[in-house]
């Protein structure tokens, strides 16, 4: 999957370092990146993937769709050349066959699977997803209790300078000196 670098990512160096540490550890296969909606989970992981692109042979960045089985069986999101559902197969059968193909493709390679907008409720397909030889990142508003998966909880951007830079980038201009007090008040209430 082509992963686009976010236009702007500020104040997340610590989280990027934690993701890099996680990637370097061979015993860590799964991580939940959690936080409230709009806090920057997708942007953080896209930046991480782009910064570490040379560490991966392939990356699948998918948007969750109803179930893990349906998400990975979706050929529009996760296509494999020469692998497609035949009319006689159920979705569950096709998912199992496709996961065998994913496992064969990932074997001995450095691969990542990112599931964005994961609702936080594991389903029956989770063991098969985690059983492939790839790093799995779930982006979710909540972290369910999944054995063996680490959790990276995103909170607000901590540094005031990064908060102000983000505000100004979204505004499209620098804060005039006469409005700095007002901006400080906004950042005090929201940070």
């Amino acid at each position: 999957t082509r992963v686009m670098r976010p236009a702007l990512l500020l104040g997340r160096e610590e989280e990027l370092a934690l993701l890099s540490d996680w990637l370097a550890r061979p015993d860590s296969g799964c991580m939940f990146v959690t936080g409230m909606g709009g806090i920057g989970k997708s942007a953080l992981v896209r930046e991480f993937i782009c910064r570490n692109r040379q560490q991966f042979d392939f990356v699948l960045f998918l948007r969750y769709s109803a179930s893990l089985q349906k998400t990975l069986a979706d050929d529009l999101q996760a296509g494999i050349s020469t692998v497609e559902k035949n009319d006689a197969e159920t979705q569950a059968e096709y998912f199992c066959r496709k996961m065998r193909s994913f496992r064969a493709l990932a074997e001995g390679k450095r691969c990542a699977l990112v599931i964005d907008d994961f609702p936080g409720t594991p389903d029956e397909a989770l063991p098969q997803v985690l059983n492939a030889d790839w790093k799995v990142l779930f982006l979710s508003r909540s972290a369910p209790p999944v054995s063996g998966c680490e959790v990276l909880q995103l909170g607000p951007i901590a540094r005031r300078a990064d908060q102000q830079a983000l505000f100004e980038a979204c505004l499209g201009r620098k804060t005039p000196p006469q409005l700095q007090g007002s901006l400080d008040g906004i950042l005090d209430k929201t940070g």
Side-chain angles (χ1 to χ4, degrees), residues 26 33 47 49 52 58 66 74 76 87 89 117 129 133 144 158 178:
V33 178
E47 179 68 24
I49 296 292
N52 293 282
F58 74 79
D74 181 351
L76 293 177
D87 294 337
E89 284 179 304
D117 291 330
V129 171
D133 188 18
Q178 67 271 22

Side-chain angles (χ1 to χ4, degrees), residues 57-58 102-111 132-134:
D57 294 311
F58 74 79
F102 278 131
R103 279 193 292 280
L105 287 169
E107 187 176 343
K109 297 201 173 55
R110 302 165 305 164
C111 310
D133 188 18
W134 52 20

Side-chain angles (χ1 to χ4, degrees), residues 72-147:
L72 284 153
D74 181 351
D75 289 332
L76 293 177
Q77 279 204 87
I80 301 174
S81 180
T82 72
V83 177
E84 61 184 34
K85 185 178 180 303
N86 64 51
D87 294 337
E89 284 179 304
T90 65
Q91 180 177 296
E93 291 167 335
Y94 180 52
F95 168 75
C96 289
R97 184 166 63 89
K98 196 168 183 184
M99 284 305 300
R100 285 192 300 274
S101 295
F102 278 131
R103 279 193 292 280
L105 287 169
E107 187 176 343
K109 297 201 173 55
R110 302 165 305 164
C111 310
L113 169 66
V114 180
I115 305 288
D116 199 357
D117 291 330
F118 187 71
T121 307
D123 59 38
E124 68 281 349
L126 184 66
Q128 286 184 295
V129 171
L130 296 178
N131 194 31
D133 188 18
W134 52 20
K135 297 282 192 165
V136 181
L137 286 161
F138 292 100
L139 285 55
S140 179
R141 292 184 184 189
S142 61
V146 176
S147 177

Side-chain angles (χ1 to χ4, degrees), residues 1 32 40-41 51 53 58 60 71 123 129 131 173 183:
T1 308
F32 278 84
K41 298 177 294 290
R51 283 189 187 187
R53 190 66 183 112
F58 74 79
L60 277 174
T71 301
D123 59 38
V129 171
N131 194 31
R173 62 186 169 99
L183 176 57

Side-chain angles (χ1 to χ4, degrees), residues 5 21 32 40 45-46 48 50 52 74 96 125 154 163 183:
R5 176 169 254 130
D21 290 344
F32 278 84
V45 172
R46 286 193 341 260
F48 167 70
C50 290
N52 293 282
D74 181 351
C96 289
L154 290 188
Q163 293 172 354
L183 176 57

